[in-house]
Amino acid sequence: MKKYLILILISLFWNNLFAQIEDTDLQEMVIERVSRRNIIDIIEDIKKQTYRNYSEESSKYTITQQSFLNQKDTLLYVNSLYDLSMDLKSKKINKVKVTNPKNKDFLKEAFFSRYTNNDSPMYWLTEVIIRKNINIPELDFLNNINDYQYIRTTDKGITTITFFTDDYYEGFFKYDQKYNLVEIEFYLTKPYPIDHSQTNNGKQLFVKNWILNAEVVRIKFKQDKRGKIYIDRLTAYEEMRDYNFEKFDSKGNLIIQDDNLNFNSSLIIKKQ
């Protein structure tokens, strides 16, 4: 069922892109493969403008998150109002929950109570999916340029850069004539292994590894009255497969073990 969901999401992604092309006067559109030197210059300008022109003001956002174990067991559900601000230059993200009678929070204590804060998968299911996606200049395709191919489409003052690689992400980003970002969409092209094991003085504290099986992200930007850009809406979907975790005590005895767990997580961040 989840495979069908991924295919649907990807299909919607490409249909949306093609629909944009079909609705455009093709005589005004320029499509070209971007040279390595040109894409480096373009991305440097985008990153500089994002650092320089991103609004650092605190704004209210509704954050909705949901995570499932093995596709059906709800581990957490959050639908709450937050004050959110970002200082991209220092990679600092401030997120403070606002008291609101409509806030909803559910956490399956029976599952998470087995872990300490450092051990729990909750951080990867909640905080990481937020921070890695709203820290825009650090996105992979804006940094590991040699791994990607890029195609540029220019139409009515908006430039679209389509990027793809067989090993990681495929998608596009759009920017205006001042290099302000307008929209970003991307998805993982194939499963990606992650290892987060840790040792201390040669002793194994824990072994943790999994496969990032799927990831689909869409980010839309707007500009405020001062022309500063901000995230208007961000949606993300992730699948973690074959999650394995072993924790050891100071004597090297195994005290917690998880084998081949599967997690599905979704995120919606929307400005109010």
Side-chain angles (χ1 to χ4, degrees):
M1 183 65 182
K2 291 301 179 181
K3 291 183 179 178
Y4 294 131
L5 174 60
I6 297 168
L7 291 173
I8 291 171
L9 288 169
I10 293 173
S11 175
L12 289 173
F13 164 81
W14 285 114
N15 288 340
N16 179 56
L17 178 59
F18 292 147
Q20 292 168 3
I21 294 176
E22 290 172 358
D23 292 340
T24 305
D25 185 349
L26 295 180
Q27 293 182 349
E28 299 180 14
M29 182 177 292
V30 178
I31 302 175
E32 59 181 325
R33 186 176 296 276
V34 188
S35 70
R36 189 66 57 196
R37 181 67 258 171
N38 283 345
I39 193 62
I40 289 173
D41 291 340
I42 289 169
I43 288 177
E44 284 182 353
D45 287 338
I46 287 173
K47 292 173 72 172
K48 287 178 182 177
Q49 181 67 355
T50 304
Y51 282 127
R52 178 173 53 236
N53 200 45
Y54 195 91
S55 174
E56 296 180 4
E57 290 187 354
S58 176
S59 299
K60 287 184 170 56
Y61 283 82
T62 297
I63 297 180
T64 305
Q65 288 185 281
Q66 194 165 12
S67 292
F68 295 91
L69 172 65
N70 297 330
Q71 300 184 1
K72 60 182 180 180
D73 189 2
T74 303
L75 295 179
L76 63 92
Y77 175 78
V78 175
N79 185 32
S80 298
L81 189 65
Y82 288 84
D83 271 326
L84 187 65
S85 63
M86 286 169 276
D87 182 351
L88 295 179
K89 293 179 182 179
S90 64
K91 300 180 177 64
K92 187 176 182 180
I93 300 166
N94 298 308
K95 181 167 65 76
V96 179
K97 184 177 289 188
V98 176
T99 301
N100 188 314
K102 295 183 179 180
N103 287 350
K104 294 181 180 180
D105 295 273
F106 167 77
L107 184 69
K108 189 166 185 177
E109 295 286 352
F111 178 81
F112 289 107
S113 62
R114 302 181 302 131
Y115 306 96
T116 64
N117 289 337
N118 292 334
D119 303 329
S120 178
M122 186 188 301
Y123 176 70
W124 296 93
L125 297 174
T126 58
E127 201 65 21
V128 168
I129 193 173
I130 293 176
R131 292 183 176 273
K132 74 175 182 179
N133 287 316
I134 65 177
N135 194 1
I136 305 300
E138 298 302 313
L139 291 172
D140 186 76
F141 43 83
L142 297 180
N143 290 276
N144 296 318
I145 298 173
N146 290 333
D147 295 339
Y148 289 88
Q149 297 183 54
Y150 300 84
I151 295 176
R152 175 168 54 191
T153 304
T154 303
D155 178 48
K156 297 180 181 179
I158 300 296
T159 299
T160 300
I161 301 291
T162 303
F163 55 86
F164 53 94
T165 179
D166 292 333
D167 296 323
Y168 213 22
Y169 289 117
E170 185 167 343
F172 68 83
F173 56 87
K174 298 182 180 183
Y175 59 93
D176 65 17
Q177 293 173 319
K178 295 183 178 180
Y179 294 95
N180 290 307
L181 286 167
V182 175
E183 186 176 2
I184 297 175
E185 290 190 12
F186 60 93
Y187 67 90
L188 195 66
T189 55
K190 69 179 183 181
Y192 185 79
I194 296 175
D195 189 308
H196 190 62
S197 302
Q198 185 174 333
T199 60
N200 184 21
N201 294 325
K203 292 185 178 181
Q204 191 81 56
L205 298 179
F206 63 79
V207 175
K208 183 186 297 186
N209 56 73
W210 66 92
I211 303 295
L212 183 59
N213 191 60
E215 184 178 11
V216 183
V217 178
R218 170 181 285 183
I219 309 170
K220 291 190 176 182
F221 302 86
K222 286 187 177 180
Q223 296 185 24
D224 62 19
K225 294 179 180 179
R226 301 171 300 155
K228 298 285 187 178
I229 65 171
Y230 61 87
I231 292 175
D232 182 57
R233 182 180 176 90
L234 183 153
T235 61
Y237 172 78
E238 284 191 3
E239 289 184 2
M240 296 167 59
R241 289 288 175 264
D242 299 330
Y243 178 92
N244 297 294
F245 174 69
E246 293 181 345
K247 182 179 179 179
F248 306 91
D249 63 16
S250 59
K251 297 180 180 180
N253 298 314
L254 181 65
I255 55 177
I256 300 178
Q257 183 171 7
D258 292 327
D259 292 321
N260 298 322
L261 301 183
N262 298 319
F263 300 103
N264 301 73
S265 298
S266 61
L267 166 70
I268 302 174
I269 301 177
K270 182 171 177 55
K271 193 176 188 299
Q272 298 304 298

